Amino acid sequence: MTKSVVRSKPLATPWQGLDPFLFAVHHVDHYPAGDGRLGIKPEDRAKEGQGWQMYHGQHVPGFPAHPHRGFETVSIVLKGYVDHADSLGVAARYGQGDVQWLTTGGGVEHGEMFPLVHTDGPNTMEMFQLWLNLPPEGKSARPGFEMFWAENIPVIEQEGAKVTVIAGAFGDVKPLAPPSASWAANPENELAIWLVDIDKGGTVTLPVASDQSLRRGYIFEGVATFDGDVQPAKHLVDLDATRPSVITNDSKEKVRILILQSRPIEAPVVMRGPFVLNTNEQMIETVVRYQSEGFGRWPWPTLAHTHGNEGRFIRYPDGRRETPPTKI
């Protein structure tokens, strides 16, 4: 059997990226029942760090308003919910398999709060956030926001395995369209984001890509076998994308892997906190501009804005509102 694993090493925190993916973060938080106001009960605050974090939230967990420029955030929320609010006036609550793709471009502020909507039981949160670099021409693009509802995301189920196709075609299965300024928008860049779940005895075969593309798998649960080569959990594997990797689960536990792939941008990266540019001069200009005028007026009453008892929705700056499709 032809081997596809080029190298393997333990996962760091955050997960190590590969051009154009700057890094990936996997949040798993076992939040308790909410207090009826989407937040943590006072008696539960002392338990922070024992299975969950407040991050930067004071009452509702999450990340109150903060700026970004020059890259994209791809947020994959498998369990729980995220309340989004930004300086463009966009509002959204998404989760339970939804994906939010935010192009920060020339600059935007946004908040990402984790509302505890259930008062009678746990509020488990599991999500990935990927930071995806923009090419030089995208660093000043108009910020944009795409919502991939879980009901619309292609999912392949076969041979005891499931592949969620978030970006990049998987064989004949095409993904939803990414934002127009994204490196992913050009199919020639072969950018892919695939979430792979393999049950005991299951198999997934990754399709081949060109020799210009980099491919990395993050094994975050279970022990996976790549072309007969056993790889432990909490490891990443760099793969030869020109080979059709055969991934099997020969263990007793479920295997879960995030696959990232792309032709690299190969442009200079100057990164300072929430800003990712190409030159020091651009970075200085961005910091000065943000400190002097921000990235637009913050239109919400608090920096940790949430959306009450709303279901899943998105409301755009022009007032247009969208909800997930109803399954028949």
Side-chain angles (χ1 to χ4, degrees), residues 38-39 60 80 116 136 148 187 206 213 215 239 243 245 274 285 327:
L38 305 180
V60 178
L116 307 189
F148 294 175
L206 303 183
S213 286
R215 177 181 287 174
L239 302 168
R243 302 184 185 279
S245 300
E285 179 273 328
K327 287 190 174 182

Side-chain angles (χ1 to χ4, degrees), residues 76 137 177 199 255 309 327:
I76 306 164
E137 62 272 17
D199 295 327
V255 166
N309 61 358
K327 287 190 174 182

